């Protein structure tokens, strides 16, 4: 049990570092988008959280396959 505290502390520190990196990437993406696109995504998010089920597919990553 005594080993658990340092392990959790290390994991917490790594999570904070990851959060900082994610926040910077999110802000860069947000800054590069038109306000109407951001508002549309927020509307879709609210709808997905209310409806669940298939509405949550908005969170799936969509990529085009390379040739």
């Amino acid at each position: 049990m005594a080993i658990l505290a340092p392990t959790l502390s290390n994991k917490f520190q790594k999570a904070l570092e990851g959060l900082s990196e994610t926040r910077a990437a999110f802000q860069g993406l947000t800054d590069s988008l038109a306000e109407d696109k951001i508002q549309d995504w927020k509307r879709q998010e609210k709808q997905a959280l209310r409806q669940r089920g298939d509405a949550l597919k908005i969170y799936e990553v969509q990529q085009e396959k390379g040739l």
Side-chain angles (χ1 to χ4, degrees):
M1 193 71 154
I3 297 173
L4 187 60
T7 299
L8 289 176
S9 178
N10 288 339
K11 287 183 183 256
F12 181 70
Q13 288 300 320
K14 288 185 187 278
L16 288 178
E17 291 169 13
L19 179 61
S20 177
E21 292 171 12
T22 302
R23 184 174 286 135
F26 178 81
Q27 191 60 50
L29 176 62
T30 301
D31 291 344
S32 70
L33 295 172
E35 184 63 29
D36 62 326
K37 185 59 135 174
I38 295 169
Q39 293 306 318
D40 186 40
W41 283 349
K42 286 181 179 181
R43 181 191 53 75
Q44 290 178 25
E45 177 189 29
K46 286 179 184 176
Q47 179 180 2
L49 293 174
R50 275 194 318 270
Q51 294 179 350
R52 301 285 187 192
D54 284 342
L56 292 174
K57 288 185 178 180
I58 66 163
Y59 294 110
E60 293 178 4
V61 175
Q62 298 176 8
Q63 294 180 335
E64 293 182 19
K65 293 193 177 210
L67 298 175

